[in-house]
Amino acid sequence: MTNAALAFVFPGQGSQKVGMLSEIAQEASEIQATFAEASEVLGYDLWDLCQNGEQEAINLTQRTQPLLLTSSVALYRLWRARGGALPARMAGHSLGEWSALVCSGVLAFRDAVHLVRERGRLMQEAVPVGTGAMAAVIGLEDGVVEAACASAADGEVVAAVNYNSPGQIVIAGNSAAVARAIEACKAAGAKKAMPLPVSAPFHTELMRPAAEKLAPQIEAAEFNAPDIPVVHNVHAEPESDPAAIKALMIEQIYRPVRWTACTKKIITDGATQLVECGPGKVLAGLTKRIDRSVTCHSIDNPGSFNEALRSTAV
């Protein structure tokens, strides 16, 4: 049954760590079965990489993206196998939007694994390592950060790219421009403005070449209307038309992630309980900054998984 007050959200890059899901996989065959399916597509053992690889290896974008997609889909499959309630709405942060599309029935898991591997590869290739950067800015209003980026650009690219929660924004662009923007944000009174350990300036115009190269593969894939509405990063609204969803997933690569707006949309539409379907608690933390009235659950270990099942049952 559908729980009208329940939303599922899916994390993006940054939530990965070696050994994740190991405890829950010991008691749930669905986890390793999903990883085995992804491994067939990828041509390498994704579960072994996840459990025994080096952190540097799983941080490579073209590996991180299929890894997180697979983790989220595995947990969602387990949720449904254990009788978990259907959510009434979904959203995913950046890469996590692909996880939401798979779990809402828009495209097949195997197709998504292939597409996000290519997405990661093309995004990394779009900007040579060292020439792009990202930084977190804490404690400034959106407009102040946007103005700081505009003043720091000086003919290069730097922009707000992740609107994560009120007072927490990520900026990205050319390395020198990001460095100038960091100083401008500090001068404007930011509590923190610091570089992030990321290898490419995601969700900027610098990613448009990657989007253009991936577009034919997305266009060729079979997309369906979603069984569960997915709120999209680009405009913080759901979309039911498969062709429009394809266009949004292409545009998403070089447009900002409007996560605060996505979360507010989910809540406005009736969500009072939120399950973070993937490793970690990043999105739960952001949700608390956006609206403290929402109850957040994580499901990446047996204890929290079973508690979420009980709390959201209908």
Side-chain angles (χ1 to χ4, degrees):
M1 291 181 63
T2 298
N3 181 340
L6 178 62
F8 264 56
V9 294
F10 300 86
Q13 291 186 218
S15 293
Q16 71 276 3
K17 65 177 182 179
V18 174
M20 65 189 190
L21 306 189
S22 59
E23 188 179 359
I24 198 166
Q26 292 174 15
E27 61 172 55
S29 62
E30 291 86 352
I31 303 297
Q32 290 200 36
T34 304
F35 271 80
E37 189 178 346
S39 296
E40 288 182 9
V41 178
L42 297 168
Y44 60 86
D45 189 333
L46 187 62
W47 181 252
D48 182 65
L49 175 69
C50 174
Q51 298 303 305
N52 304 309
E54 298 293 330
Q55 188 68 36
E56 292 78 8
I58 71 169
N59 285 348
L60 291 171
T61 298
Q62 65 198 68
R63 290 186 171 176
T64 308
Q65 297 201 18
L67 175 58
L68 287 172
L69 169 76
T70 303
S71 299
S72 288
V73 172
L75 287 169
Y76 189 75
R77 287 176 170 178
L78 178 60
W79 178 267
R80 296 297 295 139
R82 296 279 174 89
L86 277 170
R89 49 198 62 80
M90 293 178 169
H93 189 289
S94 187
L95 165 73
E97 194 163 2
W98 285 97
S99 304
L101 293 183
V102 171
C103 295
S104 68
V106 171
L107 80 162
F109 173 57
R110 295 175 73 93
D111 291 343
V113 171
H114 169 75
L115 286 170
V116 301
R117 175 181 60 183
E118 289 301 289
R119 181 181 185 268
R121 181 180 67 82
L122 291 168
M123 290 172 78
Q124 185 60 72
E125 289 177 358
V127 179
V129 174
T131 61
M134 301 183 78
V137 179
I138 309 296
L140 292 180
E141 293 183 0
D142 295 357
V144 177
V145 176
E146 291 162 357
C149 289
S151 68
D154 195 23
E156 294 185 304
V157 171
V158 61
V161 296
N162 292 353
Y163 294 82
N164 285 335
S165 68
Q168 183 175 331
I169 294 179
V170 174
I171 63 174
N174 297 112
S175 296
V178 170
R180 292 191 296 269
I182 287 173
E183 296 308 311
C185 287
K186 288 179 179 177
K191 293 179 182 177
K192 288 184 180 179
M194 52 194 177
L196 293 173
V198 177
S199 57
F202 302 128
H203 298 290
T204 67
E205 279 292 324
L206 298 172
M207 289 291 115
R208 191 182 283 266
E212 292 172 349
K213 290 177 181 177
L214 187 63
Q217 297 182 56
I218 292 178
E219 294 289 357
E222 181 180 346
F223 276 43
N224 307 297
D227 298 326
I228 300 167
V230 175
V231 176
H232 291 276
N233 289 180
V234 170
H235 56 22
E237 295 288 342
E239 180 55 68
S240 59
D241 176 54
I245 294 172
K246 288 182 178 183
L248 285 168
M249 297 312 291
I250 296 166
E251 191 175 350
Q252 186 233 42
I253 294 172
Y254 60 89
R255 294 291 188 214
V257 175
R258 301 193 176 279
W259 189 250
T260 300
C262 288
T263 304
K264 287 182 175 179
K265 173 63 176 173
I266 287 170
I267 296 168
T268 299
D269 285 351
T272 59
Q273 294 180 299
L274 182 148
V275 168
E276 182 162 359
C277 191
K281 301 178 181 178
V282 171
L283 300 183
L286 295 180
T287 303
K288 288 301 183 185
R289 293 176 61 91
I290 296 166
D291 189 332
R292 297 195 65 82
S293 71
V294 177
T295 301
C296 298
H297 306 277
S298 61
I299 58 171
D300 63 352
N301 65 75
S304 60
F305 188 98
N306 291 327
E307 172 57 31
L309 276 179
R310 289 191 296 269
S311 300
T312 60
V314 290

